[in-house]
Amino acid sequence: AAVTLRFHDPLLERGFRSTLTRRNLALQLHGGIVIAATSVYYAVTSQAPGAETPDQRSNLRSVAFLAHVACAALGLLTTLFAFVQRRWSPVGPLAVEVITVAASILFLALCVLTEEWWVARVFGLDPFAIFGPYPFVDTWLVLTIDTVITVTHFACDIRWVVLWPLSLLGGLYYPALCLATGSSERYEAATWAALSALA
């Protein structure tokens, strides 16, 4: 079909989806491990909760620490799901695609809370008043959105009819954050345009 990209023949569609599912699960296994390992590393090397006297800075860093832990848990759950699916196939190919897209969207939402700048802005606080003249940048967030969009489009074999919510949210995510909370970047509008064009 022109809109869904599905085959009209049900048998051909089922076989095609089975092939795609095997490749998607292989990527989920490796991707989940990478996400979990990276999140654990940053959680361990960042400021852990309780390491400072209780104040706004410590509270914001505690939120960022917990967000890293949540990203690590999401990576481990993704890896576990891919292992179980490859071994026993409890859900169908379409469910694998939907779960992949949902996990990607959740990962992007958690990423915002791993950075003290965005945590402070989400809670309506001034990051510079709390952390001082620290050179905050949005590069890591923009590159993360770029990576997730690129990987899901080129490495994961997911149909457009399932993937479009991630494409839409990926393109609007950073501009919406900047409009709602502000940005540490000097030329955030140019970054909006580049990211939206990518998505």
Side-chain angles (χ1 to χ4, degrees):
V3 176
T4 63
L5 304 181
R6 293 173 179 166
F7 292 102
H8 291 289
D9 187 340
L11 292 178
L12 186 59
E13 172 68 18
R14 191 178 305 117
F16 183 69
R17 280 192 176 276
S18 297
T19 302
L20 300 187
T21 299
R22 287 193 294 271
R23 285 186 288 190
N24 290 344
L25 291 174
L27 180 65
Q28 283 184 16
L29 272 173
H30 296 93
I33 293 172
V34 170
I35 290 173
T38 304
S39 299
V40 168
Y41 169 78
Y42 281 110
V44 171
T45 57
S46 65
Q47 192 74 32
E52 299 181 71
T53 55
D55 57 7
Q56 285 183 327
R57 180 183 302 182
S58 179
N59 292 336
L60 294 177
R61 283 182 169 163
S62 296
V63 173
F65 174 83
L66 293 175
H68 281 300
V69 173
C71 287
L74 179 62
L76 291 175
L77 286 174
T78 301
T79 303
L80 178 62
F81 167 75
F83 174 78
V84 171
Q85 181 66 20
R86 290 182 72 177
R87 193 171 182 88
W88 293 289
S89 299
V91 299
L94 179 59
V96 173
E97 295 183 41
V98 172
I99 290 171
T100 302
V101 171
S104 300
I105 293 173
L106 178 58
F107 176 68
L108 290 181
L110 289 173
C111 279
V112 176
L113 298 179
T114 62
E115 170 61 53
E116 287 92 347
W117 164 274
W118 292 106
V119 176
R121 297 304 298 159
V122 166
F123 287 99
L125 303 173
D126 181 3
F128 294 115
I130 298 172
F131 296 101
Y134 186 82
F136 291 104
V137 293
D138 296 345
T139 305
W140 68 273
L141 178 60
V142 175
L143 287 177
T144 299
I145 297 173
D146 177 15
T147 301
V148 170
I149 292 175
T150 301
V151 168
T152 51
H153 280 72
F154 291 99
C156 293
D157 299 300
I158 301 177
R159 303 297 181 88
W160 174 85
V161 70
V162 179
L163 195 57
W164 73 264
L166 177 61
S167 302
L168 179 63
L169 291 174
L172 297 178
Y173 192 45
Y174 178 71
L177 279 172
C178 292
L179 289 173
T181 65
S183 171
S184 61
E185 294 286 343
R186 185 176 179 183
Y187 302 109
E188 69 269 18
T191 309
W192 298 359
L195 186 61
S196 299
L198 169 71

